[in-house]
Amino acid sequence: HAMTQLASEYHRRGAELRKSIDHELCNLTGAEAALVLSSFEAALNAVFAARTANRELLVADGNAATSAGIDWRRLAARHSAVLRTSAGDAASLAAAVEQGVPLAAIVRSPEAEGLATSGEVSSIAKRSSASFIDVAPLAGVIDPAAHGLQSVETLQERLATGADLVIADGAGLLGGPVCGVIVGKRKLVES
């Protein structure tokens, strides 16, 4: 009954509720700042507009132009970013970075999770002075392995191993309202 009541009362409550949600996300994930937007796509667009507009970015995605329902080419074109892709493993990322072109960001797509770890991508991003953006639609605050399911790297783990920003699908986390979640370094979230 309480769950039904809470779900039926879901509505926008303004700045106070937003501040409370952002604060709770920071507490749960250990992030410096958090932002919740209307959808996962809105979160992707906000980050790309702020971090990669008119600059070059490298997407580690296992050589897929579209992954996890994300059309990287379209997203980059929308923000006038120059898109490069790599196979997603640490060696191909390092080789792509060594080409000498300054990067705004290295983006790890969900398809690259089994290839390059957050720590490896973070190290490569730091060496190239690029932001590390971890796109993790299904990352949450609790590892499902604790409940006998397949392990999924949590938002906290992604931040702890060096991601500057993590973008997650709130509906995938909660099974509830559609939203996009951005957590990470304060200056990047605020931008």
Side-chain angles (χ1 to χ4, degrees):
H1 176 71
M3 288 172 54
T4 302
Q5 181 180 359
L6 182 61
S8 66
E9 293 175 354
Y10 174 78
H11 56 85
R12 190 174 184 166
R13 294 188 189 178
E16 182 180 314
L17 181 60
R18 178 175 294 277
K19 185 185 259 186
S20 174
I21 290 169
D22 294 348
H23 179 73
E24 280 303 314
L25 274 170
C26 289
N27 285 341
L28 290 169
T29 64
E32 292 177 12
L35 178 63
V36 177
L37 297 172
S38 61
S39 69
F40 178 64
E41 187 171 308
L44 282 170
N45 277 296
V47 169
F48 269 61
R51 298 301 312 150
T52 66
N54 301 313
R55 297 169 70 195
E56 190 154 333
L57 73 141
L58 175 63
V59 176
D61 69 351
N63 286 325
T66 303
S67 59
I70 303 165
D71 186 340
W72 297 110
R73 289 184 184 131
R74 188 173 138 242
L75 190 60
R78 182 180 296 157
H79 300 288
S80 302
V82 177
L83 175 69
R84 288 195 292 156
T85 60
S86 82
D89 60 283
S92 67
L93 276 172
V97 166
E98 289 173 6
Q99 292 178 0
V101 179
L103 293 171
I106 297 177
V107 179
R108 184 174 78 153
S109 81
E111 277 69 18
E113 287 182 15
L115 301 171
T117 67
S118 293
E120 290 170 331
V121 179
S122 175
S123 175
I124 293 166
K126 281 183 180 38
R127 285 195 310 264
S128 66
S129 300
S131 297
F132 168 28
I133 301 169
D134 201 350
V135 178
L138 299 177
V141 294
I142 299 171
D143 188 344
H147 301 284
L149 302 171
Q150 181 179 347
S151 182
V152 176
E153 197 175 8
T154 65
L155 295 171
Q156 306 92 298
E157 291 168 339
R158 292 166 189 273
L159 291 169
T161 55
D164 297 311
L165 287 176
V166 179
I167 306 169
D169 186 346
L173 300 174
L174 309 171
V178 174
C179 65
V181 176
I182 303 169
V183 294
K185 294 185 177 178
R186 181 171 310 285
K187 71 177 185 168
L188 300 180
V189 172
E190 288 175 352
S191 73

